[in-house]
Amino acid sequence: MELASYSDYAVRLVNTEEPARGKDSLTSVEAVRALFGEASQMARRATDADLTRFRGVRGRLRSVFEAADGGDHTLAVDLLNSLLLEFPVSPQISGHDYLDEDGRPRWHMHLADHPSNATAGYAAIAAMGLAFHLTEHGADRLGLCQAGPCRNAYLDTSTNRSRRYCSDRCATRANVAAYRARKRLEAETSGSSGRTEDSAHETRAAADR
């Protein structure tokens, strides 16, 4: 697995909460375990105590996205570095599940399960993955959805750095809202122009009398 792909761990955790909508899906140990994906030893170690710890890490990861989205890239890096220092990773060379045409392992870097607790393991993976993504693609590739009130986190992998929404659904919703706003403005402008012309006509008619 490419280390940068671990950045999805950060996105998944951040998006368990929608602050503007007052929604939070991180409400049980099962929800914590689901974040790890399939067959994770760390997921099996999750307990009720991890629920509060996960929420704390989630807030710190969101702050990284908020800083990057707001253009303060230095702050985003500082916040991410603090997570990297607190939750160090344990890299390993792995070849599981990846074989070449001759049946030999395709060696790649892998982050080992953290020995202390589920939160530390997840935070280490998420922070390291996000760090690799940031250094490879730039801090401006970390964003928050512009389709309010969504504000979900996303990683911009577009070729022209043009992504502004977390999903096609939000992009469509924002485009529809923008279209309707333009139509309202056009109608208001047209109505205002019509009233101005009527007023000018009445003024000329009064002058003729």
Side-chain angles (χ1 to χ4, degrees), residues 72-88:
D72 194 340
H73 297 169
T74 300
L75 176 58
V77 169
D78 287 344
L79 293 171
L80 188 50
N81 273 336
S82 70
L83 283 164
L84 290 169
L85 287 170
E86 185 174 345
F87 302 105

Side-chain angles (χ1 to χ4, degrees), residues 29-30 76:
V29 176
E30 288 70 26

Side-chain angles (χ1 to χ4, degrees), residues 129-157:
L130 204 55
F132 269 92
H133 190 93
L134 187 150
T135 53
E136 178 71 18
H137 303 289
D140 59 339
R141 294 292 190 138
L142 278 59
L144 293 173
C145 187
Q146 299 302 302
C150 177
R151 305 300 283 166
N152 270 352
Y154 65 83
L155 299 171
D156 184 3
T157 56

